[in-house]
Amino acid sequence: KAGVTQTPRYLIKTRGQQVTLSCSPISGHRSVSWYQQTPGQGLQFLFEYFSETQRNKGNFPGRFSGRQFSNSRSEMNVSTLELGDSALYLCASSYLAGEGTDTQYFGPGTRLTVL
Amino acid sequence: QKEVEQDPGPLSVPEGAIVSLNCTYSNSAFQYFMWYRQYSRKGPELLMYTYSSGNKEDGRFTAQVDKSSKYISLFIRDSQPSDSATYLCAMNRIQGAQKLVFGQGTRLTINP
């Protein structure tokens, strides 16, 4: 099975712009979670989508948003970019059969640099 | 204070050494504990998952959970240069809930 894919892998934007990142989960996985990784704060949970609905949300401002499509692919959007948004954005997918704890499989991430 | 504390290192040991990585946590609601390994420019990959207190072994890796002390550990035996990576502990409150809380990560280097 192909792993989690994320596009683009690298992105450079300027302050005030907006950006959209894409994530394709492992085939058959219905849950997609997004995380932000920075040297100072480490890995922080952004939000999780399941069946096109946001089920969990982390402590990030409303500039961070996401959505999930019927094929489970997900996008996250950051509007009005700030320098502090520079980070590695990671997407993780899991099957969520409802029994047992479902392993989250991470993609390689999108490295966003805000200038 | 962060919910999960992990010494960021860096930690450098000779090949063949036993490595001990640790995390402490403050929230007793955490029930599920994981260790991820992250190589440079890659996403984290799951190494170990544990639920109850005690030890779980998988090859050269042993995960240990002490819920009474709110302390988890990962031991790596016969460490190899290929084990050089950042190791992240992660925790979850509810089974199936995909909202992991991560430690800062410990950067480990195994010297040949």
Side-chain angles (χ1 to χ4, degrees):
Chain A
K1 266 186 181 178
V4 178
T5 58
Q6 292 187 245
T7 56
R9 291 292 311 278
Y10 302 92
L11 208 49
I12 299 175
K13 292 285 187 179
T14 56
R15 279 181 300 174
Q17 287 187 309
Q18 75 167 17
V19 66
T20 298
L21 313 180
S22 181
C23 171
S24 291
I26 292 172
S27 178
H29 285 195
R30 299 183 295 167
S31 168
V32 173
S33 299
W34 289 89
Y35 294 83
Q36 181 196 66
Q37 187 174 30
T38 60
Q41 298 298 318
L43 261 158
Q44 293 184 286
F45 174 80
L46 279 158
F47 29 65
E48 183 227 355
Y49 286 87
F50 179 79
S51 293
E52 302 178 64
T53 301
Q54 187 182 91
R55 295 200 310 171
N56 291 293
K57 190 177 189 305
N59 297 323
F60 279 82
R63 300 185 297 107
F64 292 82
S65 62
R67 58 177 175 169
Q68 186 181 32
F69 302 96
S70 57
N71 60 359
S72 294
R73 190 178 69 85
S74 177
E75 289 181 347
M76 69 162 282
N77 183 277
V78 188
S79 62
T80 319
L81 284 166
E82 300 177 0
L83 295 179
D85 296 333
S86 294
L88 180 66
Y89 289 88
L90 291 158
C91 166
S93 77
S94 55
Y95 180 56
L96 279 189
E99 295 179 3
T101 291
D102 296 278
T103 300
Q104 289 196 47
Y105 296 88
F106 283 83
T110 294
R111 173 77 60 184
L112 172 64
T113 301
V114 181
L115 302 176
Chain B
Q1 185 188 3
K2 292 189 176 184
E3 285 187 284
V4 180
E5 298 281 356
Q6 181 178 8
D7 186 341
L11 182 61
S12 182
V13 301
E15 182 177 355
I18 295 175
V19 177
S20 172
L21 304 168
N22 312 293
C23 288
T24 59
Y25 61 97
S26 56
N27 192 336
S28 58
F30 287 132
Q31 299 181 43
Y32 302 90
F33 306 92
M34 288 137 276
W35 285 95
Y36 283 83
R37 177 175 63 193
Q38 186 175 23
Y39 291 113
S40 181
R41 301 185 182 279
K42 300 279 190 181
E45 59 174 323
L46 182 68
L47 276 178
M48 301 285 286
Y49 155 75
T50 54
Y51 167 63
S52 58
S53 286
N55 294 352
K56 182 176 181 179
E57 192 174 314
D58 184 1
R60 296 185 296 110
F61 298 89
T62 299
Q64 190 174 79
V65 174
D66 182 348
K67 288 186 178 179
S68 63
S69 300
K70 298 189 181 66
Y71 189 88
I72 69 171
S73 299
L74 177 71
F75 298 96
I76 307 174
R77 291 185 302 279
D78 187 25
S79 55
Q80 304 294 310
S82 58
D83 295 328
S84 298
T86 296
Y87 289 80
L88 300 139
C89 63
M91 306 180 188
N92 207 357
R93 295 178 179 82
I94 302 171
Q95 187 177 38
Q98 306 303 301
K99 187 176 180 179
L100 298 179
V101 179
F102 283 84
Q104 188 73 4
T106 300
R107 181 176 293 181
L108 172 67
T109 300
I110 308 298
N111 302 303

